[in-house]
Amino acid sequence: MFRGQRGWFCGSVGQDLRQLWVAEGGTVCDVQAADFLFSCDASHPDTLRIYQSLDYIEDNATVFHAYYLYAVANAEMKTSVALGHFILPPASVQKEIRRKVGGFIWEQDKYFQIEKHDEL
Amino acid sequence: ANDDCSKMLLNRCSGCIAVRKSLNSRNISKLLHSCPHRCDHHKIIVEAEDKYKSEVRKSFICNKKILLTPRRRQLRIES
Ligand SMILES: [Zn+2]
């Protein structure tokens, strides 16, 4: 599914999710070279750095919640998982969105088999 | 809460549920901006993110951290 794709992972993403990425053919790389930016925590310094970058403000760097990888792993049709549902906006933006439309799909735990993350 | 979730998915537009192999962190924002039928959820995300972005942009200009000259981005060098 992710063959030839390069992914960057925030420190907030657990090892199991990185492994899912690699198992699907993805490679791990730095922010600049990445096609996909994954995070589990919009307030993590690694992810904050992206929100403060020129790439981000010029619409060239959308961060996705790494639960996208769980969703893909669990989907019968891997390509049927819509990436758009997994956009992870900055924390202040999330607050505003929650106020207006309720939650995000990645907050619905029942869709994801949450395994223990490295809590480091 | 699960009802909310399925409702959330039902009410979303084709731009939001776009499934395209080529979609990634580098182009999805432009897709969402160019999508002609923005659903509510989509509009709210894009608008809220844009507001945030314009604030960051302002702070860049204030701090003179970066010169925001040509909008064209430097090409990323393939490693
Ligand atoms: Zn939409």
Side-chain angles (χ1 to χ4, degrees):
Chain A
M1 167 86 179
F2 301 120
R3 190 152 303 283
Q5 307 285 340
R6 291 159 300 183
W8 169 85
F9 291 84
C10 171
S12 61
V13 181
Q15 204 53 46
D16 48 338
L17 284 160
R18 293 173 203 233
Q19 277 159 8
L20 283 178
W21 172 255
V22 173
E24 291 285 344
T27 53
V28 177
C29 69
D30 62 31
V31 175
Q32 285 304 310
D35 305 304
F36 288 85
L37 306 169
F38 291 114
S39 171
C40 284
D41 179 5
S43 306
H44 190 286
D46 293 349
T47 300
L48 283 176
R49 219 169 298 132
I50 292 182
Y51 295 144
Q52 303 287 328
S53 73
L54 197 57
D55 266 348
Y56 179 75
I57 63 174
E58 299 208 320
D59 302 332
N60 291 323
T62 301
V63 180
F64 297 111
H65 201 292
Y67 282 1
Y68 171 64
L69 299 171
Y70 278 141
V72 167
N74 290 340
E76 273 172 49
M77 271 272 297
K78 288 189 191 304
T79 51
S80 70
V81 182
L83 192 57
H85 295 151
F86 292 89
I87 293 176
L88 180 71
S92 60
V93 174
Q94 285 178 34
K95 226 180 277 169
E96 184 172 345
I97 293 168
R98 249 183 231 113
R99 212 175 50 231
K100 290 181 175 163
V101 290
F104 292 90
I105 186 163
W106 36 261
E107 292 175 320
Q108 315 289 326
D109 286 355
K110 83 157 201 146
Y111 287 93
F112 308 102
Q113 42 166 151
I114 311 293
E115 292 161 34
K116 261 259 152 305
H117 289 188
D118 306 345
E119 317 235 329
L120 289 173
Chain B
N2 294 327
D3 285 347
D4 289 350
C5 186
S6 42
K7 211 172 5 172
M8 203 159 84
L9 297 183
L10 277 177
N11 294 334
R12 295 187 69 171
C13 72
S14 58
C16 276
I17 55 169
V19 178
R20 247 196 261 158
K21 257 206 115 171
S22 58
L23 219 50
N24 62 33
S25 286
R26 305 303 182 184
N27 56 26
I28 192 165
S29 179
K30 292 190 185 76
L31 172 89
L32 291 180
H33 278 93
S34 65
C35 171
H37 1 258
R38 292 188 181 184
C39 62
D40 286 347
H41 195 270
H42 175 162
K43 209 162 65 190
I44 287 161
I45 284 201
V46 170
E47 283 172 3
E49 266 203 303
D50 282 352
K51 206 162 78 190
Y52 178 91
K53 285 172 184 174
S54 73
E55 273 156 30
V56 175
R57 184 184 295 267
K58 260 185 250 153
S59 79
F60 273 164
I61 296 168
C62 289
N63 301 336
K64 295 207 168 82
K65 270 204 294 203
I66 294 177
L67 287 171
L68 289 172
T69 38
R71 174 142 174 102
R72 193 62 271 182
R73 298 279 301 126
Q74 228 184 311
L75 284 175
R76 253 188 306 281
I77 295 149
E78 305 286 309
S79 53

